Amino acid sequence: MTHLYLIGYRGSGKSSVGAIVAARLGRPFFDADTVLETDAGETIRDIFASEGEVGFRDRESATLRKLGAGQPAVIATGGGVILRAENRELLRSSGFVVWLAAPAELLWDRISIDPTTAARRPNLAGGGQDEVKALLAVREPLYAATAHATVDASRSPEQVAGDILAVWNCSPWCRTSS
Ligand code: S3P
C-alpha cells in the first residue's frame, strides 16, 4: 500500500512528471518501461518484433510485480498496463494510482515529436492519431476504473506534478506510508 503509480496513454507525461514528483517526495523514481528494457537487454520495439505483444505484456506484468514488491517509490507505467486485470488489481492494491488524462489530439502531438517513440512505442493499431483515438476508446474506461484520482495532463509537467502531490497529500496512502 505504499507506491504512487502514474498511469495514462503515451504522451501524457508520466515519466517527466514522475521524476518531478519523486524528487519532491524524496522517493526513488522508476519508469517501468526502462526497467523492463534493462532486464530484457533489448528495446521494447525489438521485444514486440521477436515475442509479439503477448510476450511484451508478460514481461510488463512481471516488471510490475517486481516493482510492486520493492521499496516505496513513484512508478511510471506503460500506457497499456491497464489492459490486464491482474495488473489493474496489483496497481490498486499496492498503491495510490493517478491517471494522467489528456485529449487524443494533444497526446498525438506529443507522441509524434517524441524522439523515443520509435524504440519505445511500436504501432499497435495502424499508428497515427486514429490509433490514439481507437485505443483511448478501449482504454479510458480501464484507466478510470484503475485510478484513485485523475489529473489534467494537458498542463505543464510542473503543474501536473503539483496536482498529483495535492491529491496524494490528501489520500490515505500518504498517511500510512513514508
Ligand atoms: C504501450 C506504451 C508504451 C510501452 C509499449 C506499449 C501501449 O509505454 O509500454 O510500447 O500499449 O500504449 P509508454 O506509455 O510509456 O509509451
Side-chain angles (χ1 to χ4, degrees):
M1 283 290 193
T2 51
H3 301 293
L4 174 51
Y5 292 110
L6 306 184
I7 63 170
Y9 205 83
R10 164 149 274 243
S12 59
K14 293 164 293 184
S15 300
S16 47
V17 169
I20 297 170
V21 171
R24 298 240 182 104
L25 290 175
R27 282 180 167 226
F29 171 66
F30 297 107
D31 177 321
D33 283 339
T34 303
V35 173
L36 186 157
E37 286 183 320
T38 302
D39 288 352
E42 54 185 333
T43 65
I44 288 173
R45 176 168 287 276
D46 289 342
I47 295 167
F48 266 77
S50 59
E51 302 174 16
E53 184 170 351
V54 172
F56 169 75
R57 297 293 173 205
D58 287 344
R59 288 178 181 272
E60 181 174 55
S61 294
T63 303
L64 188 61
R65 286 195 297 275
K66 174 175 136 175
L67 291 173
Q71 60 185 314
V74 177
I75 300 171
T77 58
V81 76
I82 42 65
L83 294 172
R84 285 193 174 176
E86 70 181 87
N87 296 345
R88 298 194 297 272
E89 283 155 21
L90 188 148
L91 289 166
R92 280 190 69 85
S93 64
S94 61
F96 184 65
V97 187
V98 182
W99 174 23
L100 280 63
E105 293 76 13
L106 175 63
L107 294 172
W108 172 243
D109 284 349
R110 290 178 179 172
I111 291 167
S112 57
I113 60 166
D114 182 346
T116 71
T117 292
R120 273 287 179 87
R121 185 54 166 74
N123 290 342
L124 297 171
Q129 192 170 319
D130 288 347
E131 173 180 301
V132 179
K133 286 184 175 162
L135 294 186
L136 273 184
V138 173
R139 293 180 179 186
E140 280 183 338
L142 299 174
Y143 290 132
T146 308
H148 295 104
T150 302
V151 296
D152 175 5
S154 62
R155 290 147 49 89
S156 73
E158 290 74 19
Q159 288 172 321
V160 178
D163 289 348
I164 291 169
L165 288 166
V167 290
W168 166 257
N169 283 332
C170 61
S171 75
W173 285 264
C174 102
R175 287 189 283 276
T176 57
S177 61
S178 55

